[in-house]
Amino acid sequence: MTLPSTAREIRLASRPEGFPTPDDFDLVEVPLPDLADGQVLVRNQVMSVDPYMRGRMNAGKSYVEPFELGAALDGGAVGEVVASKAAGFEVGDTVLHGLGWREYAAVDAANATTVDPQAAPLGAYLGVLGMPGMTAYAGLLDVAAFKEGDVVFVSGAAGAVGQVAGQVARLRGARRVIGSAGSEAKVRYLVDELGFDAAFNYKDGPVAEQLAKAAPDGIDVYFDNVGGEHLEAAIASFNTFGRAALCGSISGYNTAPTGPRNLGLAVGKRLTLRGFLVYDHQHLREEFVREVGGWVAAGELRYQETVTEGLDRAPEAFIGMLRGENLGKALVTL
Ligand SMILES: NC(=O)c1ccc[n+]([C@@H]2O[C@H](COP(=O)([O-])OP(=O)(O)OC[C@H]3O[C@@H](n4cnc5c(N)ncnc54)[C@H](OP(=O)(O)O)[C@@H]3O)[C@@H](O)[C@H]2O)c1
């Protein structure tokens, strides 16, 4: 295969204030990267746009280093090895790695994982069987200590993490699974296709009122992708000894965050509100792949992806995801 001499990448042009705009990104043509010993050259085929990337666009450290201005962005991607200077990797292998937002990436072998393109569609390694799916699994089971018979509420339920979290709860024997999302179509998807017992559009009215109606007997577990008003509503609806997995708070990523004003209820209700990062739960990986992979293969756990074509449209896909235009996992094919 003849390789091109140049390839395109997307750089952070400016740090967004509020919602990112296309002007915050630059599409740049650069020479193909040189390959050092121990690296593979990957032609990226599909890449992920994720909410955490928004935090990295701000100056100052969050839980990951900020993206550098004028440098290529990065993030989860899957592609084909087109040259290898690393033992254990052959041309033609398919690898999962962390250098998305570019057409070709020189990846250290230690940061590349071979995946089987026959076993699942490439996008699944970035979604249902990848980091977001694992986040749902670890958050529900490890962090919120879900147990059979729990009433579970998931916010951001029609997104990459949420769609898996709600279904794992259902398949593991939840008494009732409730989801919230930002459109009627998403609400229908949750109930009609994913088997949620109830769902509501958080834009239709106060979350606390809608949740109380959907969960007349209260909730035991809250999987929080949203924070703010949603977290406040969950605290209000919690039964005693309720447990929240604080996964993300996307309602405050582009606008001023609001805090739950009723945190005092956590005392009397003896609540556990626990933040987590998926990376700390790798001990569950094999079990996750076996259980969730099995449910997907058997058609018991369903998922959606929203795919945008073309690296040049990655900023648009990212901004759209932050605005809720995605159903399921937001991906970009290159
Ligand atoms: N802790 C970890 O290790 C970890 C790992 C991965 C992801 N996360 C977090 O998990 C959450 C979900 O991530 P994801 O990858 O699955 O993204 P996603 O849900 O596929 O996409 C983001 C969704 O957030 C919703 N949203 C945007 N603004 C909102 C608002 N103001 N209020 C309520 N919902 C809003 C939108 O859906 P609607 O149409 O429903 O508004 C949008 O589709 C994020 O908070 C992310 O930061 C955490």
Side-chain angles (χ1 to χ4, degrees), residues 68-94:
E68 274 176 52
L69 277 181
L73 296 164
D74 59 60
V78 174
E80 181 192 4
V81 173
V82 293
S84 176
K85 285 191 177 179
F89 291 89
E90 306 286 337
V91 170
D93 285 353
T94 301

Side-chain angles (χ1 to χ4, degrees), residues 120-308:
L122 297 190
Y125 293 106
L126 298 169
V128 65
L129 300 178
M131 184 277 280
M134 175 72 186
T135 302
Y137 194 79
L140 186 76
L141 302 180
D142 237 7
V143 182
F146 167 83
K147 53 184 191 323
E148 206 179 318
D150 280 340
V151 175
V152 177
F153 172 44
V154 181
S155 59
V161 173
Q163 64 178 352
V164 180
Q167 291 185 89
V168 172
R170 169 173 62 74
L171 289 159
R172 280 284 192 111
R175 182 148 65 89
R176 188 169 169 77
V177 182
I178 299 146
S180 70
S183 74
E184 286 318 304
K186 290 184 181 187
V187 166
R188 277 200 306 279
Y189 168 65
L190 294 174
V191 175
D192 297 346
E193 292 186 43
L194 302 190
F196 280 58
D197 298 286
F200 60 85
N201 179 351
Y202 66 86
K203 295 172 183 167
D204 279 351
V207 180
E209 282 174 24
Q210 297 200 72
L211 177 59
K213 210 165 133 204
D217 298 327
I219 62 169
D220 304 301
V221 164
Y222 173 43
F223 194 106
D224 187 18
N225 288 314
V226 170
E229 188 192 352
H230 273 83
L231 180 54
E232 186 170 294
I235 291 171
S237 270
F238 261 134
N239 296 321
T240 49
F241 299 104
R243 291 144 278 137
L246 305 182
C247 176
S249 52
I250 197 163
S251 65
Y253 292 0
N254 297 294
T255 53
T258 56
R261 293 163 297 181
N262 56 353
L263 204 51
L265 291 177
V267 179
K269 293 191 181 196
R270 286 87 102 201
L271 303 181
T272 304
L273 311 174
R274 188 174 160 205
F276 76 102
L277 291 177
V278 60
Y279 311 106
D280 296 330
H281 299 266
Q282 289 309 313
H283 59 280
L284 277 182
R285 171 150 285 284
E286 269 181 40
E287 188 188 330
F288 158 69
V289 170
R290 196 174 52 246
E291 188 165 29
V292 174
W295 283 329
V296 171
E300 290 176 90
L301 189 149
R302 301 166 75 173
Y303 66 97
Q304 285 283 343
E305 294 169 344
T306 297
V307 180
T308 303

Side-chain angles (χ1 to χ4, degrees), residues 8-9 44 72-74 99-105 311 334:
R8 298 178 306 166
E9 64 182 30
N44 283 334
L73 296 164
D74 59 60
L99 293 179
W101 295 89
R102 67 201 77 193
E103 289 171 324
Y104 285 84
L311 179 69
L334 276 68

